[in-house]
Amino acid sequence: MTSPLANPLNRRLLGASALALVLSVSGQAFAQTTPQTDDADDATTQLSLGKIVVSAGVEKIATDTPQAVTVLNQDDIDDTQASTIGDLLDDVPGVYTAGGASNLGQTFNIRGMTSNRGEVLMLVDGVENYFEGYRMGAFFSEPELYKRVEVLRGPSSSTLYGSGALAGVINFTTKDASDFLTGDDTFALRTRFGYESNGDGKLGSIIMATRPTENLDLLIALNGRSSDDYKDGNGDVVTPSDASANSVLAKARYYIGGDRKHSVWASAQVWETDSYQLYDQITGLTAFGTVRRRTRDEAFVLGYDNGFEGNDLLDLKAQVSFSETLTDQDGIALSSSLGYASEYSYSTVQARLENTSKFTLSPDWTAFVTAGLQYYSQERRNPRYKADGSLQANGATTHPEGDTTRYGGFIQAEILWRDKLVITPGLRIDHTELSPGAGVVTGGGSTAVPEDASDTGYSPKLAVLYNLTDYLNVFGSVAHTERMPILDEVYSRSGTAPVNLNLDPEKSNNYELGASLTLRGLVTPSDRMNAKLTAFNNKVENLITSASATSGYFINVGEAKYEGFEVEAEYATRALIARASYATVDATNETTGVLLNTRPADELNLNLGYVLSDLDLTVGWRGEFVSGITNYNATTGAVSSTVDSYNVHDLYATWRPRTGSLAGMDVRVSVDNVLDDYVKNNLASFAGQGRSFKLSLGKTF
């Protein structure tokens, strides 16, 4: 395997990070002596359900949002010491990492539905990040790039972000210069070094933020990550599981006329990796052999924000973007069928325009109306070459080339009555067009070129939240959304099964009920407790699945039902914090009565932490308890496999000195899977990591 440490950029990043940390401890030439606020050591500020949600419409706290939502802020992200995006989302209730263990093989599952079919929508700074990866995952990125992650579970999010998000939306927000520049600061430097014992993982990160003029903010972030395959709890090496990659983020924001709500901004993000690895990153199938794979994911965004200070009718946001995910690979063992070398490219152009208006209808009634338009166009190409460099084929029968174009419009209102009632109706309409690429034929014995396919999807919803008391509210929602068939589903074919231009959209009808509780002063005058329960029933019609029938390679079959509930509870005093979350899902093919194997096992997560404020130290324990589960043959209903239950225990500590020469430094230490147990969830193709010691040292200058 080619280590990213062979890359000069990675060596410089790791070396510079280590040097900066040494300087911060010894010389302290640039150290900040401004103490952090006392709130940094107040456990009540760490409560998750009290965090602001920005992706569900008008800003509100999580307990006042009429759907299940989890927010991870910068401290949460740093505390995980994540090597992959899957690590970052590991403790979010109802969210599971599926497929492979490496950063090239992971997909994500919410409530029994997956991201590699578009049922989970992945966004970065509001830009959709999706492609139909072939024997790879569908989202490549670096946890260090982000300051915030919001996970909105359920199809209610389709209204604002796109029809087809049957399971929900995961919205990532990248770091900004303003996150590091405070007061009159004109320059800030943040460096971080991380180490992980299992897999010999190393991380080097440097962030530079500057404000050269009063109205201009600039940021550049460089990250280098290196690791080998890890060992599971039995001591066996898990291949592939490395998380080696480089990434760069550059952002600029210019505030027009000194107005912090009126700005134009731009960002560029690049993630890349180059290594020898198994061809099949999702299942680990060895029959395809090893391949050298160079993957580069990049995105460029230009945005405009204008809050129109003093004008309630205008709060405008606009952005255009270009993104491309490109994989070059060669040395494939089965070159006769796959090509000795091949290229997978997904080039996407997007645009989004939205405005939020505030209407004061009466002293008791206020309405916020968000309306917008979206455009999405993706070209998918997959040339495959012989060993002599000549073209063998364009795409494969099960991974055809083609284009996807989508036009969308949406409107959502949030109608407030006093501080008691919130009514949220919404509607979205998306028109999708699919075009076959080079080499696509009808199949099933025919070599004719198939026609384009198109359809229109509708996503209406209605959500209501009512405050029964100052501390208790109840909510419910009804949401319908439609997932348009994707290129693979329409244009895949074989010698006996043709393409299927008549596939119907999958149609979801989702019903949710829930309640949230917020209490203060239960045991001590300053303690807090939050709890939230969400129950859901989601019926999906026109399920799309592959088939052996001659009517089409993919066909519509029957209906599936996904039902379950998620509960979150947390309690904190100034020194103590305790969190618990539980999620359970049943997913059934209503036509056959067989349970679907995409359903996750029941999971309970616990977290208990204690703040030693005199020492600027937080210590704690995390526990993950996952039930056993049985998988079934989709046709016969017979038991096909069983997956054992497992428990994982972690210990962690965070030290953040508030005063003196070390102020601005943070040290995080953890031992994950302390008991070195063998763990493997039913959605994963590989066992999870055995015991691992993690250390990260960060310093802001």
Side-chain angles (χ1 to χ4, degrees), residues 488-511:
D488 280 348
E489 294 167 338
V490 173
Y491 292 114
S492 290
R493 73 276 182 197
S494 69
T496 57
V499 302
N500 191 348
L501 302 178
N502 298 313
L503 276 177
D504 292 322
E506 291 183 340
K507 298 183 177 181
S508 162
N509 293 297
N510 185 73
Y511 305 88

PDB file of all heavy atoms in Angstrom, residues 488-511:
ATOM      1  N   ASP A 488     -28.527   3.880 -12.638  1.00  0.00           N
ATOM      2  CA  ASP A 488     -28.305   2.439 -12.536  1.00  0.00           C
ATOM      3  C   ASP A 488     -29.618   1.669 -12.647  1.00  0.00           C
ATOM      4  O   ASP A 488     -29.668   0.603 -13.266  1.00  0.00           O
ATOM      5  CB  ASP A 488     -27.634   2.097 -11.206  1.00  0.00           C
ATOM      6  CG  ASP A 488     -26.133   2.367 -11.237  1.00  0.00           C
ATOM      7  OD1 ASP A 488     -25.600   2.602 -12.330  1.00  0.00           O
ATOM      8  OD2 ASP A 488     -25.509   2.356 -10.161  1.00  0.00           O
ATOM      9  N   GLU A 489     -30.662   2.189 -12.029  1.00  0.00           N
ATOM     10  CA  GLU A 489     -31.934   1.467 -11.998  1.00  0.00           C
ATOM     11  C   GLU A 489     -32.650   1.494 -13.344  1.00  0.00           C
ATOM     12  O   GLU A 489     -33.351   0.545 -13.700  1.00  0.00           O
ATOM     13  CB  GLU A 489     -32.821   2.057 -10.906  1.00  0.00           C
ATOM     14  CG  GLU A 489     -32.262   1.828  -9.510  1.00  0.00           C
ATOM     15  CD  GLU A 489     -32.929   2.654  -8.436  1.00  0.00           C
ATOM     16  OE1 GLU A 489     -33.536   3.697  -8.759  1.00  0.00           O
ATOM     17  OE2 GLU A 489     -32.834   2.282  -7.250  1.00  0.00           O
ATOM     18  N   VAL A 490     -32.491   2.551 -14.099  1.00  0.00           N
ATOM     19  CA  VAL A 490     -33.185   2.668 -15.380  1.00  0.00           C
ATOM     20  C   VAL A 490     -32.422   1.980 -16.509  1.00  0.00           C
ATOM     21  O   VAL A 490     -33.002   1.268 -17.339  1.00  0.00           O
ATOM     22  CB  VAL A 490     -33.429   4.148 -15.733  1.00  0.00           C
ATOM     23  CG1 VAL A 490     -34.003   4.288 -17.149  1.00  0.00           C
ATOM     24  CG2 VAL A 490     -34.385   4.778 -14.725  1.00  0.00           C
ATOM     25  N   TYR A 491     -31.091   2.163 -16.557  1.00  0.00           N
ATOM     26  CA  TYR A 491     -30.340   1.744 -17.746  1.00  0.00           C
ATOM     27  C   TYR A 491     -29.443   0.515 -17.544  1.00  0.00           C
ATOM     28  O   TYR A 491     -28.750   0.110 -18.475  1.00  0.00           O
ATOM     29  CB  TYR A 491     -29.491   2.916 -18.255  1.00  0.00           C
ATOM     30  CG  TYR A 491     -30.343   4.041 -18.801  1.00  0.00           C
ATOM     31  CD1 TYR A 491     -30.380   5.284 -18.163  1.00  0.00           C
ATOM     32  CD2 TYR A 491     -31.130   3.859 -19.924  1.00  0.00           C
ATOM     33  CE1 TYR A 491     -31.168   6.317 -18.645  1.00  0.00           C
ATOM     34  CE2 TYR A 491     -31.926   4.885 -20.424  1.00  0.00           C
ATOM     35  CZ  TYR A 491     -31.942   6.111 -19.772  1.00  0.00           C
ATOM     36  OH  TYR A 491     -32.737   7.127 -20.260  1.00  0.00           O
ATOM     37  N   SER A 492     -29.441  -0.107 -16.357  1.00  0.00           N
ATOM     38  CA  SER A 492     -28.737  -1.379 -16.210  1.00  0.00           C
ATOM     39  C   SER A 492     -29.469  -2.447 -17.012  1.00  0.00           C
ATOM     40  O   SER A 492     -30.700  -2.428 -17.149  1.00  0.00           O
ATOM     41  CB  SER A 492     -28.664  -1.793 -14.739  1.00  0.00           C
ATOM     42  OG  SER A 492     -27.790  -0.958 -14.022  1.00  0.00           O
ATOM     43  N   ARG A 493     -28.707  -3.424 -17.535  1.00  0.00           N
ATOM     44  CA  ARG A 493     -29.319  -4.454 -18.365  1.00  0.00           C
ATOM     45  C   ARG A 493     -28.404  -5.676 -18.398  1.00  0.00           C
ATOM     46  O   ARG A 493     -27.260  -5.626 -17.944  1.00  0.00           O
ATOM     47  CB  ARG A 493     -29.593  -3.964 -19.785  1.00  0.00           C
ATOM     48  CG  ARG A 493     -28.368  -3.807 -20.678  1.00  0.00           C
ATOM     49  CD  ARG A 493     -27.686  -2.501 -20.496  1.00  0.00           C
ATOM     50  NE  ARG A 493     -26.529  -2.342 -21.392  1.00  0.00           N
ATOM     51  CZ  ARG A 493     -25.582  -1.434 -21.221  1.00  0.00           C
ATOM     52  NH1 ARG A 493     -25.638  -0.596 -20.191  1.00  0.00           N
ATOM     53  NH2 ARG A 493     -24.589  -1.349 -22.072  1.00  0.00           N
ATOM     54  N   SER A 494     -28.928  -6.776 -18.969  1.00  0.00           N
ATOM     55  CA  SER A 494     -28.139  -7.990 -19.173  1.00  0.00           C
ATOM     56  C   SER A 494     -28.570  -8.607 -20.499  1.00  0.00           C
ATOM     57  O   SER A 494     -29.384  -8.029 -21.235  1.00  0.00           O
ATOM     58  CB  SER A 494     -28.370  -8.980 -18.019  1.00  0.00           C
ATOM     59  OG  SER A 494     -29.687  -9.489 -18.071  1.00  0.00           O
ATOM     60  N   GLY A 495     -28.050  -9.803 -20.784  1.00  0.00           N
ATOM     61  CA  GLY A 495     -28.423 -10.454 -22.029  1.00  0.00           C
ATOM     62  C   GLY A 495     -29.880 -10.858 -22.075  1.00  0.00           C
ATOM     63  O   GLY A 495     -30.472 -10.987 -23.155  1.00  0.00           O
ATOM     64  N   THR A 496     -30.479 -11.058 -20.891  1.00  0.00           N
ATOM     65  CA  THR A 496     -31.886 -11.470 -20.849  1.00  0.00           C
ATOM     66  C   THR A 496     -32.818 -10.398 -20.294  1.00  0.00           C
ATOM     67  O   THR A 496     -34.009 -10.395 -20.606  1.00  0.00           O
ATOM     68  CB  THR A 496     -32.033 -12.735 -19.989  1.00  0.00           C
ATOM     69  OG1 THR A 496     -31.517 -12.469 -18.676  1.00  0.00           O
ATOM     70  CG2 THR A 496     -31.263 -13.901 -20.613  1.00  0.00           C
ATOM     71  N   ALA A 497     -32.301  -9.513 -19.468  1.00  0.00           N
ATOM     72  CA  ALA A 497     -33.139  -8.477 -18.843  1.00  0.00           C
ATOM     73  C   ALA A 497     -32.807  -7.115 -19.444  1.00  0.00           C
ATOM     74  O   ALA A 497     -31.659  -6.672 -19.378  1.00  0.00           O
ATOM     75  CB  ALA A 497     -32.921  -8.454 -17.334  1.00  0.00           C
ATOM     76  N   PRO A 498     -33.787  -6.426 -20.031  1.00  0.00           N
ATOM     77  CA  PRO A 498     -33.520  -5.140 -20.672  1.00  0.00           C
ATOM     78  C   PRO A 498     -33.555  -3.978 -19.676  1.00  0.00           C
ATOM     79  O   PRO A 498     -33.867  -4.154 -18.493  1.00  0.00           O
ATOM     80  CB  PRO A 498     -34.673  -5.019 -21.665  1.00  0.00           C
ATOM     81  CG  PRO A 498     -35.819  -5.717 -20.979  1.00  0.00           C
ATOM     82  CD  PRO A 498     -35.176  -6.872 -20.226  1.00  0.00           C
ATOM     83  N   VAL A 499     -33.208  -2.791 -20.175  1.00  0.00           N
ATOM     84  CA  VAL A 499     -33.398  -1.577 -19.385  1.00  0.00           C
ATOM     85  C   VAL A 499     -34.884  -1.410 -19.105  1.00  0.00           C
ATOM     86  O   VAL A 499     -35.734  -2.019 -19.772  1.00  0.00           O
ATOM     87  CB  VAL A 499     -32.847  -0.344 -20.134  1.00  0.00           C
ATOM     88  CG1 VAL A 499     -31.382  -0.509 -20.469  1.00  0.00           C
ATOM     89  CG2 VAL A 499     -33.658  -0.065 -21.403  1.00  0.00           C
ATOM     90  N   ASN A 500     -35.212  -0.592 -18.121  1.00  0.00           N
ATOM     91  CA  ASN A 500     -36.626  -0.393 -17.767  1.00  0.00           C
ATOM     92  C   ASN A 500     -36.925   1.101 -17.736  1.00  0.00           C
ATOM     93  O   ASN A 500     -36.650   1.780 -16.740  1.00  0.00           O
ATOM     94  CB  ASN A 500     -36.936  -1.034 -16.422  1.00  0.00           C
ATOM     95  CG  ASN A 500     -38.426  -1.091 -16.141  1.00  0.00           C
ATOM     96  OD1 ASN A 500     -39.229  -0.460 -16.830  1.00  0.00           O
ATOM     97  ND2 ASN A 500     -38.806  -1.856 -15.120  1.00  0.00           N
ATOM     98  N   LEU A 501     -37.480   1.602 -18.844  1.00  0.00           N
ATOM     99  CA  LEU A 501     -37.825   3.020 -18.933  1.00  0.00           C
ATOM    100  C   LEU A 501     -39.143   3.335 -18.244  1.00  0.00           C
ATOM    101  O   LEU A 501     -39.522   4.509 -18.146  1.00  0.00           O
ATOM    102  CB  LEU A 501     -37.906   3.445 -20.402  1.00  0.00           C
ATOM    103  CG  LEU A 501     -36.644   3.241 -21.247  1.00  0.00           C
ATOM    104  CD1 LEU A 501     -36.893   3.661 -22.687  1.00  0.00           C
ATOM    105  CD2 LEU A 501     -35.484   4.022 -20.664  1.00  0.00           C
ATOM    106  N   ASN A 502     -39.831   2.311 -17.767  1.00  0.00           N
ATOM    107  CA  ASN A 502     -41.164   2.499 -17.176  1.00  0.00           C
ATOM    108  C   ASN A 502     -41.164   2.352 -15.661  1.00  0.00           C
ATOM    109  O   ASN A 502     -42.220   2.171 -15.061  1.00  0.00           O
ATOM    110  CB  ASN A 502     -42.151   1.503 -17.791  1.00  0.00           C
ATOM    111  CG  ASN A 502     -42.309   1.708 -19.288  1.00  0.00           C
ATOM    112  OD1 ASN A 502     -42.484   2.835 -19.751  1.00  0.00           O
ATOM    113  ND2 ASN A 502     -42.233   0.614 -20.050  1.00  0.00           N
ATOM    114  N   LEU A 503     -39.980   2.418 -15.053  1.00  0.00           N
ATOM    115  CA  LEU A 503     -39.937   2.357 -13.595  1.00  0.00           C
ATOM    116  C   LEU A 503     -40.701   3.517 -12.978  1.00  0.00           C
ATOM    117  O   LEU A 503     -40.557   4.665 -13.406  1.00  0.00           O
ATOM    118  CB  LEU A 503     -38.486   2.406 -13.106  1.00  0.00           C
ATOM    119  CG  LEU A 503     -37.680   1.110 -13.052  1.00  0.00           C
ATOM    120  CD1 LEU A 503     -36.265   1.414 -12.607  1.00  0.00           C
ATOM    121  CD2 LEU A 503     -38.324   0.095 -12.123  1.00  0.00           C
ATOM    122  N   ASP A 504     -41.513   3.216 -11.982  1.00  0.00           N
ATOM    123  CA  ASP A 504     -42.220   4.268 -11.250  1.00  0.00           C
ATOM    124  C   ASP A 504     -41.365   4.765 -10.085  1.00  0.00           C
ATOM    125  O   ASP A 504     -40.545   4.010  -9.539  1.00  0.00           O
ATOM    126  CB  ASP A 504     -43.547   3.733 -10.702  1.00  0.00           C
ATOM    127  CG  ASP A 504     -44.540   3.419 -11.804  1.00  0.00           C
ATOM    128  OD1 ASP A 504     -44.588   4.183 -12.785  1.00  0.00           O
ATOM    129  OD2 ASP A 504     -45.247   2.392 -11.680  1.00  0.00           O
ATOM    130  N   PRO A 505     -41.536   6.002  -9.678  1.00  0.00           N
ATOM    131  CA  PRO A 505     -40.809   6.500  -8.501  1.00  0.00           C
ATOM    132  C   PRO A 505     -41.231   5.748  -7.242  1.00  0.00           C
ATOM    133  O   PRO A 505     -42.382   5.307  -7.123  1.00  0.00           O
ATOM    134  CB  PRO A 505     -41.231   7.977  -8.418  1.00  0.00           C
ATOM    135  CG  PRO A 505     -41.821   8.307  -9.745  1.00  0.00           C
ATOM    136  CD  PRO A 505     -42.398   7.036 -10.279  1.00  0.00           C
ATOM    137  N   GLU A 506     -40.289   5.580  -6.313  1.00  0.00           N
ATOM    138  CA  GLU A 506     -40.662   5.099  -4.995  1.00  0.00           C
ATOM    139  C   GLU A 506     -41.384   6.224  -4.261  1.00  0.00           C
ATOM    140  O   GLU A 506     -40.906   7.354  -4.252  1.00  0.00           O
ATOM    141  CB  GLU A 506     -39.423   4.669  -4.205  1.00  0.00           C
ATOM    142  CG  GLU A 506     -38.768   3.413  -4.743  1.00  0.00           C
ATOM    143  CD  GLU A 506     -37.593   2.951  -3.904  1.00  0.00           C
ATOM    144  OE1 GLU A 506     -37.041   3.776  -3.150  1.00  0.00           O
ATOM    145  OE2 GLU A 506     -37.227   1.769  -3.996  1.00  0.00           O
ATOM    146  N   LYS A 507     -42.540   5.916  -3.657  1.00  0.00           N
ATOM    147  CA  LYS A 507     -43.354   6.942  -3.007  1.00  0.00           C
ATOM    148  C   LYS A 507     -43.456   6.651  -1.518  1.00  0.00           C
ATOM    149  O   LYS A 507     -43.882   5.565  -1.117  1.00  0.00           O
ATOM    150  CB  LYS A 507     -44.745   7.003  -3.646  1.00  0.00           C
ATOM    151  CG  LYS A 507     -44.704   7.385  -5.125  1.00  0.00           C
ATOM    152  CD  LYS A 507     -46.090   7.518  -5.717  1.00  0.00           C
ATOM    153  CE  LYS A 507     -46.025   7.969  -7.173  1.00  0.00           C
ATOM    154  NZ  LYS A 507     -47.368   8.139  -7.770  1.00  0.00           N
ATOM    155  N   SER A 508     -43.061   7.632  -0.727  1.00  0.00           N
ATOM    156  CA  SER A 508     -43.029   7.481   0.723  1.00  0.00           C
ATOM    157  C   SER A 508     -44.130   8.305   1.367  1.00  0.00           C
ATOM    158  O   SER A 508     -44.309   9.485   1.043  1.00  0.00           O
ATOM    159  CB  SER A 508     -41.666   7.935   1.258  1.00  0.00           C
ATOM    160  OG  SER A 508     -41.724   8.191   2.643  1.00  0.00           O
ATOM    161  N   ASN A 509     -44.859   7.675   2.282  1.00  0.00           N
ATOM    162  CA  ASN A 509     -45.831   8.376   3.127  1.00  0.00           C
ATOM    163  C   ASN A 509     -45.426   8.149   4.579  1.00  0.00           C
ATOM    164  O   ASN A 509     -45.503   7.028   5.085  1.00  0.00           O
ATOM    165  CB  ASN A 509     -47.248   7.855   2.875  1.00  0.00           C
ATOM    166  CG  ASN A 509     -47.741   8.199   1.486  1.00  0.00           C
ATOM    167  OD1 ASN A 509     -47.893   9.360   1.137  1.00  0.00           O
ATOM    168  ND2 ASN A 509     -47.983   7.171   0.662  1.00  0.00           N
ATOM    169  N   ASN A 510     -44.986   9.204   5.219  1.00  0.00           N
ATOM    170  CA  ASN A 510     -44.389   9.102   6.544  1.00  0.00           C
ATOM    171  C   ASN A 510     -45.232   9.843   7.575  1.00  0.00           C
ATOM    172  O   ASN A 510     -45.653  10.989   7.360  1.00  0.00           O
ATOM    173  CB  ASN A 510     -42.979   9.696   6.522  1.00  0.00           C
ATOM    174  CG  ASN A 510     -42.259   9.521   7.844  1.00  0.00           C
ATOM    175  OD1 ASN A 510     -41.840   8.431   8.200  1.00  0.00           O
ATOM    176  ND2 ASN A 510     -42.120  10.619   8.579  1.00  0.00           N
ATOM    177  N   TYR A 511     -45.456   9.190   8.715  1.00  0.00           N
ATOM    178  CA  TYR A 511     -46.218   9.783   9.817  1.00  0.00           C
ATOM    179  C   TYR A 511     -45.347   9.748  11.071  1.00  0.00           C
ATOM    180  O   TYR A 511     -44.745   8.721  11.391  1.00  0.00           O
ATOM    181  CB  TYR A 511     -47.513   8.998  10.064  1.00  0.00           C
ATOM    182  CG  TYR A 511     -48.382   8.867   8.833  1.00  0.00           C
ATOM    183  CD1 TYR A 511     -48.196   7.802   7.954  1.00  0.00           C
ATOM    184  CD2 TYR A 511     -49.370   9.810   8.545  1.00  0.00           C
ATOM    185  CE1 TYR A 511     -48.987   7.679   6.814  1.00  0.00           C
ATOM    186  CE2 TYR A 511     -50.160   9.698   7.412  1.00  0.00           C
ATOM    187  CZ  TYR A 511     -49.962   8.633   6.546  1.00  0.00           C
ATOM    188  OH  TYR A 511     -50.734   8.517   5.413  1.00  0.00           O
TER     189      TYR A 511
END
